[in-house]
Structures are given as C-alpha cells and as structure tokens.
Amino acid sequence: MELLTEIEPQIAAGTLTLDSRTPSGPIEKAWDKTKFEMKLVNPANKRKYTVIVVGSGLAGGSAAATMAELGYNVKCFCFQDSPRRAHSIAAQGGINAAKNYQNDGDSVYRLFYDTVKGGDFRAREANVYRLAQISVNIIDQCVAQGVPFAREYGGTLSNRSFGGAQVSRTFYARGQTGQQLLLGAYQALERQVDQGRVTMFPRHEMLDLVVIDGKARGIITRDLVTGAIESHVADAVVLGTGGYGNVYFLSTNAKGSNCTAIWRAYKRGAAFGNPCFTQIHPTCIPVSGDYQSKLTLMSESLRNDGRIWVPLNKGDKRKPGEIPESERDYYLERRYPSFGNLVPRDVASRNAKAVCDEGRGVGESGLGVYLDFGDAIKRLGQKTIEERYGNLFEMYARITDENPYKVPMRIYPAIHYTMGGLWVDYQLQSTIPGLFVIGEANFSDHGANRLGASALMQGLSDGYFVIPYTIGNYLASNKLEKVESTHEEFRAAQDGVAEKTRRLLDTKGTRTVDSFHRELGKIMWDDCGMSRTAAGLQDAIGRIRKLREEYWRDVKVLGSGKEINQSLEKAGRVADFFELGELMCIDALHRAESCGGHFREEYQTPDGEAKRDDDNFSYVAAWQYNGDGSPLLNKEPLTFDYVHPSQRSYK
Amino acid sequence: MRLTFHIWRQPNRTSSGKMVRYESSNFNPDMSMLEALDVLNEELILRNEDPITFEHDCREGICGSCGFMINGLAHGPLPKTTVCQLTLRHFRDGEELFLEPWRAKAFPVLRDLMVDRSAFDRIISSGGYISVPAGSACDGNDILVPKPYSDRAMDAAACIGCGACVAACPNASASLFTGAKVSHLGLLPQGQPERNQRALRMVAQMNAEGFGQCTNIGECEAVCPKGIRLEVISRMNGDFIKASWSNRGQQSVSDGV
C-alpha cells in the first residue's frame, strides 16, 4: 500500500475530450440559441424512437412523462414498487423560482448569482443561468398540474426564504413540497401510461449499461420479484437515479437509494464529476444509537424562525430552559450578522461541528445544537408556527419523544445530497453518446455546495424542460443502427450481471451485508465527511480497499437469485459503494483546496472558512474508469465571465 | 428490551404461508419497528435463516412503502404514524406482537410482509391527473385559488398511497385512497375540466381491481397515517353521482356503479 502515501503524483491524465458544448455569446441568450440550433425530430417519427429512463423521481418521472407527451416511446424503470415512491418524495422545504412575486428584488440574474456563489464557484455558469431561467416555468407547470402550493388569502402563491438567499423565492406545500411535486410528475407519468406511451417497469433494478459502437443502446435489469435478468434495447438511455449519499450508510437518503446505475455507467466509460462534493445538511435529528438505520432531516426552512444556539460554556449540562440568555451563544447570528441563521448549509454544518468539537454540544452524545422556536412562538403565536411547520414538529416529537413547542429541538448535521455525479455537457449528455444524466445523478449545477430548495428545481428543470429538447437533437443528429437484445454486447453484459449475482450468493461468508456497509460508512464519515485531511483520506483509501477485499471473501447472502431477495439487492449496491467510496476519497485527496462542502482542514482562512485555490483547482474533476488501475483524471476548466470568484462572505 | 414476534412467513405469491414465532432481547425503546426488524434479520442471517421481507424506503413516513398489521391494527397502535416511525417505546417490555401483511384480494402477498399494491397505480392512471403537457401552462398567479380550498386540497393530497386504508377496511375498499385524489384535484380550479370523467373512470378502475365497496365504517380514517378525512369519500361519491347523471346516454358507466 505504499502508493497511498504519494497518491497525487500517481494520478495519470485521462484520455477523454470534455466538450461542454457551452454556447458562445451572451449568457442570457445561450439556451434560446441552443434550442434554435438543435435538430428536431419530426412529430410523426418520434414514436419510432425508444428512450429508456431509469429512475422515476422528479428528474426521471418528469423526463419520462414529457418525452412521452412529445411522442417518444418511453420505457421507465424504478426499483420501488411504484414510481411514486422515489426519494424526491421526502424533500420537505420547497422549490426556488425567480418569480419575484414578493417584489423584493429577485430576478433570474439574482438566482443565478446566488447559486454560483453558493456553489463556491465550482459550477458551470451557463448551466446555472439556464436553471434560473427555467425555474419560473417549473412553477407554472406545477401549478397547472394541481400541485397545492401554499397560498395567501387573496389566492396568490406564497413564498418563504431559505438559506443562502436574501429574497423570498421559495415555493412550498407545507413541509411536503417534494411529495407534492413528485405526485405531480407521477400523475403526468401515469397519464402517459394510460395513453400507452410509457411502459412502466417497477421493481426492476438497472445492473448494467450496454454500449454498442460507442453509443448507449440499452440496459440490463434484474426483476426484483422473479429474479429474471433481462435486456432492454433503446435508442437513448436517460439516468435519473439520484445521489449516492448512502455510501455513508447513515444519511437522510431513503434506504434503497444507491449508486449502482451511475456506477455501472462509469465502468462503461461515463466520466464521474467531482465525486467528493457531498452536502452535509445542518438540521437533522442527532444519532441516538448504533442500531440506527438512517437519519431524519428536519427541513432547513425551520431556520427561518428557529434560532440556533449552544451554551456559552463548555460542559454546561443544564436543561435548555435553565440556561439564561446571557449564557447562550447564538453562534451563527454572532459570526454572520447579515445572514444569521440563514447561512448556506455547508457553513451552518461546519459551525455546528466546531462548537461540538469545542465541547459545547448538547444532548447525551454531545453531538447536537439547539434549534429554538421560543422567540418565534412568542412573536407569532403557536398557531402560526404550527401552520408553517406542524408536520415537522410532529415528526420530531414522534422520533425523540420531546415536544419542540416546549423545549428546543436538538439537531446535528448529516449527509444529505451529493453534488457530484456523472459528468454531463450543457445538453446533459455524458461522455458516452446517447447516455444522458439528469437530476442529482449528474454532477449538476450546484458546484461544491447546493443551496436549499434548489434540488427540486434542478430535477424538474432537467426533466420537464431540458432533456425533452436535447434528446431530440441527439436522435436527429445520429444514425442509429437497429439493435436486437440478442446482440453479443447484450449477451455479454447479461452474463456479467448473472456472474456477479452468483458470486455474491456463493461467497457464503460470516458477515452480513449491513455490517460491512456500516463499517464502510463510518470510514467515509470520519475521513471523507464534514472535514477532511490528506492523512485521513490516505488512511481511508487503504482501509476501504482492505474492507472491500474482505467483503468479497466473507459476505453472507442467503437465499437464491430466483426470488425476492432483499439481502442480495443490498449486497450488489454495497459492492458498488465500496468502489465509489474509494473514488470519493481519491478525489477529495487530489483536490488540495477547500470549497463549499469539501473542507480540507489544511486549507482554511484564519477565521476557519473554506479557502479556495482558484489558480489550481478551478475545474471539474471528471474521473475516468481505468480497469483495475488507478482512475484517470480529466479536467474541464471553469471560467467565470459573469459572477467573479470571490471569497464567499455571509457576514 | 425483549419482544416476541409472530410474523407471517410466505415464500412467494403462490405458496401458502404461516405465522412463525421469533424472540429477541436485543431491542431498545428508541428503535423504530423497522429497525427492530433489521436487528431481528441480522440475527436470522447469522443463524442461516431467511430474513423477513418487508417493504420500506424513506423511513420518514412519507414514501408510503412500508406498512403491515401489528396486532390487527394497520401501522400499529399509534395514530397518524407509519411503522417506520413507530418506536418501540409504545410497547411493553416482553410484549407479544403479531405482524401480518395487508390482507386484501387486490393486494396479493408477494413475500412475507410485502404485498403488490400496483392496483393503486392503475387507479391513478385512470384519470387521477390533470392533463397539462409540459410547456402549456399559464403564469402561476393567473390561477387564483382561495386559501381554504387550497388548504383542503393539500389535506387530501397528503395521501402517501401506503394501503393501510384498504387493509383496515372490512370490505377492503380503496375509497379513501381514490377519494383523496378525486378530492385533491376536484377542489382546485385546475381540476374542473376533467372532474366528471375523473370520478367515473377512477371509481370504475377501483371496482375492476377487486376492491370492496365502502359502507361508511370509518376504519380507514382511523388508521390513515396522514389523517385523510372520511369526507373525501363523500366528495368522490358526490362527483361520481353528478358525473353519472350528466353523462347519461353518452357512455355506459354500468361497470362503475
């Protein structure tokens, strides 16, 4: 393992040409210009094309529905029993849009600016601008579908503010915005199922991508009920399979969320962008025991009315109500007077960790800070607070057995979102022609840190308003030979999947899949989590490799592959998490700077903020699979013609 | 904390099943019911016994994946709580718990506690939407919705499609589920153009799937983890009757009555 101590010089340059296809000219016109220049598919010909969409969340569901509306023949796959279960459903707080309905100075440009700055200058400007432009159409579309957004008494749409912004541009449906937006997309999707233009494949998991003559031509799936391994042919493949936060075992992701689809695509040649950019959400319910299976998020919108504090003095174990005002430290309000409790997520999370590391954390474990609604209840009354956050308060009470109307909530940061993902160009195409990646699954528009209420916006923007255009351009510009599922590439891929399944079942070791997953998660959280060091990352890479080797020698998966077998499903996903975890550490190690959610302890300003190195790291790291050798590094340089990089300041 | 479970074990859709007894002391009052099953499954795997299959995903009570009967109650004894958020502190140390899958003709058991709820998707597919292709919407604030209507639409839209209502109903009726969608969309101005067709088609599909009729027992409302109110069924019935009258002679709706 001596190579680990000097990994950086070992990184070899990749062989990919990363053409971002960013249009030239003024950014305001870029998307219009692209749309005009793209080739179109004649309406009568659209039904002759088959498009596979993997994933049925906000991105996948809206993409599948919209492409079917246009006339394409769509096959949509999800591992859940119904497309309505996709994890987008759990998003709580809201969706941003530059509507300026509040007349408070918002604009497309301001949303663009906030997102580029919030992302700590590691996103592609043109993509972010387009996202901000499209944001307004998303709200219109969702309202028309019947999404019951919060309203004012006059019947107009209501807004609230969110972290990282000084305007109120967040639309919401109580604390269930993701659910309502997803149901809108799901209903649009079911309408297309009704019309026979979408064939739904629930309880199917994508286990490989098939590339023929350099183009994505289909996928291999496992039917999770019968265990059948099947080939599906298409003219293009769209992945909307979400993020990979579950590499940490404990995260706010749903238990089934996994990286398998994007990881198999990576191994087939799709570059992986910025894998180490993960988001730690500041407001989650703290861990309570080692049996814990997941972490529960409390919407960031709570920071609108809740005040975050810890005791001023170390080791103060009094009950929160017994600590007088003068002995409380409202550390965010103190350090960031202009943004206060509404600083971006990465800043809020790091500060929580810092005060806990100082020994001022609260709760039994000492890993928690108070989120206090006392003042807000006094100011607005309990009824208003109940209306705004009722379901969140109920959820908190159910889990912790404490009443947040009476005692402050305890919160602690947790893994929540992954900004990294498969690299895509402006048209959302990966480095494999015909393979498109949308939503959280791509390396996305959020740079090194995503602002609250922007994930829903990006998923729906990609699905409703970007991919329906760019897929047509691809299909119209490429001559695609007819391919059958009996093609040798499909057969080989199918055999590969069957072999891997067999290997997992035949290992018959002594440790369960979950025990390995927990151990991997702990390594990742300790060394590739909220703060990172070169030494820790090097050590983590070594331990992951060792653990992965043990996994393939000692994992215990019962049952067969010919039936419903949840352990087998998990086993395949965890096998991929091992490989992705290692790549995340390599990426985090190579990026010798701090930016957004990627905080390297070696690189910080005197007052503890992330210190970027724009001279050396203003690029997207697009990793290329290299067989059993070390991954190769390709760089897409980032230029900022509009929002000029500066040290982010929320003071 | 020690608990004794009696759990329905059934290897697949066609085999017969039976209750099997499991006992363990490795529980903790702060665990959720699903975490208790995780703990039990880890023990089973290490003893070379097949782990218990149960559906789950978000574990935050919003995806609607999880759900089974605990001592005859859908999602267990705590009101407005799915099994993923039901902590063991609501049970006594040493208590005996009987876990069974949702029982309904329209929800065949796939394995152990996992059932097939695809009938719900087919009900939504039969008109549970507003037909508005992407790109054709007007400005969001062009459609004004009075707050009380918007709030009531949201109350109905909160349904997570878990199926507890069907499992709790002695008739295995899906009226609360279907009524919730009919009400959500029917309460909004956007939902008016298709309101009649929606009620007719969704009710017809509900019946075709083999769900029973509603006889106003109210068990569904009592177990609903999202507090969907019985009034959504009245709204659905009202819409259905109005639509049937206004539709006379146009098409046969006999399969829906």
Side-chain angles (χ1 to χ4, degrees):
Chain A
M1 296 275 155
E2 59 287 334
L3 68 143
L4 299 176
T5 51
E6 283 187 13
I7 193 150
E8 271 172 273
Q10 293 225 358
I11 292 172
T15 55
L16 299 169
T17 322
L18 297 176
D19 177 4
S20 69
R21 290 199 278 176
T22 308
S24 56
I27 202 164
E28 298 83 0
K29 303 271 178 228
W31 180 229
D32 279 346
K33 182 167 173 255
T34 305
K35 281 194 285 189
F36 181 73
E37 286 170 358
M38 282 192 292
K39 289 194 177 160
L40 299 171
V41 178
N42 178 313
N45 285 339
K46 287 199 176 100
R47 67 186 160 77
K48 296 178 189 158
Y49 289 106
T50 297
V51 180
I52 280 176
V53 178
V54 187
S56 65
L58 285 180
S62 62
T66 309
M67 288 190 287
E69 285 163 5
L70 289 171
Y72 296 110
N73 179 26
V74 177
K75 288 169 133 188
C76 181
F77 297 78
C78 66
F79 70 80
Q80 299 92 342
D81 71 321
S82 161
R84 69 179 291 155
R85 315 265 185 232
H87 188 54
S88 307
I89 202 143
Q92 299 169 352
I95 176 167
N96 286 330
K99 282 287 198 184
N100 194 32
Y101 283 158
Q102 303 307 319
N103 201 25
D104 57 359
D106 200 9
S107 62
V108 166
Y109 198 88
R110 187 176 294 281
L111 175 54
F112 157 66
Y113 175 90
D114 286 349
T115 308
V116 172
K117 177 186 166 198
D120 218 358
F121 306 94
R122 290 295 174 262
R124 197 187 287 144
E125 272 192 328
N127 284 53
V128 179
Y129 195 89
R130 174 177 66 190
L131 177 66
Q133 277 177 310
I134 290 176
S135 68
V136 298
N137 305 107
I138 296 171
I139 299 304
D140 300 342
Q141 180 62 26
C142 295
V143 167
Q145 286 174 344
V147 170
F149 284 119
R151 301 259 169 185
E152 302 297 341
Y153 281 98
T156 54
L157 291 155
S158 179
N159 290 114
R160 60 183 167 204
S161 34
F162 242 71
Q166 287 177 308
V167 292
S168 276
R169 62 160 75 99
T170 305
F171 295 77
Y172 62 103
R174 290 191 194 148
Q176 293 126 282
T177 317
Q179 179 199 25
Q180 293 309 313
L181 295 174
L182 182 65
L183 292 180
Y186 159 71
Q187 287 161 206
L189 179 64
E190 288 298 335
R191 175 170 165 255
Q192 295 306 313
V193 170
D194 189 27
Q195 300 192 351
R197 287 193 283 228
V198 172
T199 312
M200 214 34 240
F201 294 83
R203 296 193 196 275
H204 278 68
E205 179 160 32
M206 168 178 161
L207 292 180
D208 209 350
L209 176 78
V210 179
V211 180
I212 297 174
D213 297 333
K215 296 192 178 82
R217 292 310 302 270
I219 61 171
I220 307 296
T221 60
R222 180 169 178 271
D223 179 329
L224 301 183
V225 177
T226 65
I229 292 168
E230 297 156 351
S231 292
H232 299 272
V233 184
D235 297 297
V237 176
V238 180
L239 301 183
T241 53
Y244 48 88
N246 275 345
V247 70
Y248 292 87
F249 188 79
L250 284 180
S251 82
T252 65
N253 285 187
K255 292 296 286 177
S257 300
N258 68 81
C259 72
T260 290
I262 56 171
W263 192 250
R264 304 296 165 95
Y266 165 73
K267 291 178 96 168
R268 292 282 175 191
F272 205 118
N274 299 334
C276 80
F277 285 175
T278 52
Q279 178 161 76
I280 318 269
H281 197 292
T283 52
C284 302
I285 300 178
V287 175
S288 71
D290 54 12
Y291 54 82
Q292 192 134 0
S293 60
K294 76 154 283 169
L295 296 171
T296 303
L297 175 81
M298 303 305 293
S299 168
E300 173 174 355
S301 62
L302 293 169
R303 288 199 273 145
N304 267 313
D305 289 308
R307 298 180 68 198
I308 295 175
W309 63 276
V310 290
L312 199 56
N313 301 314
K314 235 169 41 176
D316 187 342
K317 290 287 165 202
R318 283 177 292 175
K319 289 191 180 125
E322 294 165 3
I323 302 178
E325 277 298 312
S326 60
E327 291 173 49
R328 297 177 176 192
D329 180 12
Y330 295 89
Y331 57 90
L332 289 178
E333 297 173 22
R334 173 171 59 80
R335 294 193 61 187
Y336 308 95
S338 64
F339 278 71
N341 293 299
L342 289 176
V343 291
R345 292 174 172 178
D346 54 336
V347 177
S349 296
R350 252 192 320 274
N351 277 278
K353 181 179 188 300
V355 293
C356 292
D357 289 350
E358 287 166 21
R360 298 195 287 149
V362 301
E364 228 168 272
S365 63
L367 293 176
V369 299
Y370 289 125
L371 177 62
D372 196 337
F373 288 85
D375 286 350
I377 292 173
K378 249 183 256 159
R379 193 175 71 244
L380 303 162
Q382 180 161 333
K383 190 164 176 291
T384 307
I385 296 298
E386 218 173 295
E387 241 173 50
R388 287 185 190 167
Y389 314 109
N391 65 321
L392 299 171
F393 276 50
E394 274 173 36
M395 185 154 87
Y396 182 86
R398 253 196 308 273
I399 293 173
T400 60
D401 210 21
E402 289 174 0
N403 178 356
Y405 292 106
K406 300 270 183 272
V407 292
M409 287 183 177
R410 285 173 297 112
I411 53 163
Y412 197 67
I415 293 288
H416 175 57
Y417 185 89
T418 48
M419 281 76 69
L422 293 184
W423 183 90
V424 289
D425 62 18
Y426 186 69
Q427 301 201 13
L428 304 182
Q429 183 172 260
S430 71
T431 51
I432 301 174
L435 177 71
F436 294 79
V437 191
I438 58 179
E440 190 179 349
N442 70 26
F443 86 104
S444 96
D445 306 346
H446 308 293
N449 173 56
R450 181 174 65 74
L451 292 181
S454 286
L456 305 185
M457 172 171 72
Q458 187 221 338
L460 291 180
S461 165
D462 289 357
Y464 283 132
F465 297 109
V466 180
I467 196 79
Y469 294 90
T470 59
I471 202 100
N473 184 43
Y474 170 76
L475 295 171
S477 318
N478 286 279
K479 173 123 186 59
L480 297 164
E481 302 296 331
K482 195 167 165 40
V483 168
E484 301 288 343
S485 61
T486 47
H487 190 285
E488 58 183 304
E489 291 291 344
F490 273 97
R491 289 217 170 144
Q494 230 178 297
D495 290 347
V497 167
E499 169 55 28
K500 187 167 177 182
T501 305
R502 199 162 36 241
R503 216 180 131 198
L504 287 167
L505 289 165
D506 288 351
T507 301
K508 299 193 195 304
T510 63
R511 283 184 66 181
T512 64
V513 177
D514 272 1
S515 81
F516 278 104
H517 193 181
R518 269 182 205 279
E519 194 175 336
L520 169 67
K522 183 150 187 342
I523 297 174
M524 293 300 292
W525 177 248
D526 288 346
D527 290 318
C528 195
M530 235 183 314
S531 74
R532 303 153 178 192
T533 63
L537 288 162
Q538 281 163 349
D539 187 47
I541 293 169
R543 283 187 289 150
I544 292 169
R545 286 182 183 165
K546 215 165 136 253
L547 190 64
R548 184 176 78 203
E549 191 263 324
E550 187 188 334
Y551 184 76
W552 284 105
R553 199 164 24 82
D554 199 27
V555 72
K556 185 180 180 80
V557 183
L558 301 178
S560 81
K562 304 267 178 237
E563 57 186 343
I564 296 176
N565 188 339
Q566 292 175 318
S567 304
L568 176 63
E569 293 164 25
K570 268 195 284 195
R573 294 167 192 166
V574 171
D576 292 335
F577 279 138
F578 273 113
E579 298 179 11
L580 171 58
E582 183 180 328
L583 182 67
M584 289 166 71
C585 292
I586 291 173
D587 184 42
L589 183 58
H590 114 280
R591 191 171 278 278
E593 65 160 352
S594 294
C595 57
H598 170 63
F599 190 73
R600 282 279 300 267
E601 288 176 19
E602 304 95 316
Y603 311 100
Q604 49 183 310
T605 63
D607 52 356
E609 304 293 341
K611 191 169 162 212
R612 287 197 324 270
D613 177 357
D614 291 334
D615 292 340
N616 293 305
F617 290 98
S618 188
Y619 62 79
V620 178
W623 296 92
Q624 180 185 355
Y625 182 63
N626 182 32
D628 290 335
S630 300
L632 309 178
L633 178 62
N634 300 272
K635 298 178 182 178
E636 181 201 341
L638 292 170
T639 51
F640 294 89
D641 299 327
Y642 295 85
V643 187
H644 297 293
S646 56
Q647 168 70 38
R648 281 191 311 169
S649 171
Y650 293 93
K651 298 196 183 283
Chain B
M1 183 176 185
R2 189 179 65 83
L3 288 172
T4 304
F5 284 110
H6 299 264
I7 301 177
W8 182 259
R9 303 303 308 261
Q10 180 177 334
N12 55 50
R13 197 171 175 145
T14 47
S15 310
S16 55
K18 61 172 194 279
M19 298 298 281
V20 178
R21 185 173 185 278
Y22 300 97
E23 208 182 299
S24 173
S25 308
N26 292 330
F27 303 122
N28 167 324
D30 287 332
M31 280 178 188
S32 71
M33 181 58 72
L34 299 190
E35 284 168 341
L37 291 181
D38 290 341
V39 168
L40 184 57
N41 275 345
E42 292 288 287
E43 291 178 14
L44 291 179
I45 294 169
L46 294 177
R47 294 202 310 246
N48 287 321
E49 290 178 45
D50 273 334
I52 296 141
T53 300
F54 60 95
E55 198 123 49
H56 65 99
D57 203 17
C58 79
R59 298 205 175 187
E60 293 182 15
I62 192 75
C63 74
S65 296
C66 69
F68 42 77
M69 308 298 276
I70 303 174
N71 293 348
L73 290 170
H75 287 303
L78 206 65
K80 291 199 198 173
T81 305
T82 51
V83 285
C84 63
Q85 296 213 299
L86 173 65
T87 47
L88 298 188
R89 68 177 81 97
H90 300 286
F91 300 94
R92 288 188 324 274
D93 190 24
E95 197 166 339
E96 262 186 284
L97 301 174
F98 292 78
L99 311 189
E100 291 174 86
W102 296 156
R103 303 258 187 223
K105 183 175 149 205
F107 286 168
V109 174
L110 293 176
R111 181 163 195 164
D112 301 340
L113 301 174
M114 179 191 270
V115 301
D116 178 357
R117 290 168 293 193
S118 54
F120 273 6
D121 288 328
R122 291 187 292 273
I123 292 175
I124 298 296
S125 187
S126 306
Y129 46 74
I130 289 169
S131 300
V132 53
S136 57
C138 59
D139 185 85
N141 264 347
D142 284 351
I143 306 168
L144 297 179
V145 184
K147 191 170 185 302
Y149 283 82
S150 168
D151 285 348
R152 282 169 66 200
M154 180 63 224
D155 290 342
C159 167
I160 58 174
C162 65
C165 47
V166 173
C169 177
N171 309 330
S173 168
S175 291
L176 197 75
F177 169 81
T178 312
K181 191 48 64 190
V182 168
S183 300
H184 158 211
L185 300 176
L187 277 158
L188 296 171
Q190 305 91 301
Q192 298 312 309
E194 296 166 292
R195 187 169 167 184
N196 285 356
Q197 278 308 308
R198 180 181 306 123
L200 291 174
R201 288 194 61 210
M202 289 181 77
V203 170
Q205 188 62 36
M206 175 173 79
N207 293 338
E209 294 289 348
F211 292 105
Q213 297 296 325
C214 173
T215 50
N216 287 316
I217 293 166
E219 285 283 340
C220 52
E221 184 187 46
V223 301
C224 177
K226 295 294 137 179
I228 307 289
R229 305 285 304 273
L230 214 48
E231 70 182 36
V232 301
I233 301 181
S234 316
R235 286 194 68 88
M236 174 180 73
N237 290 339
D239 279 8
F240 179 78
I241 290 165
K242 267 183 262 170
S244 305
W245 276 92
S246 59
N247 225 39
R248 271 178 311 171
Q250 289 174 29
Q251 69 179 88
S252 165
V253 292
S254 55
D255 54 346
V257 186

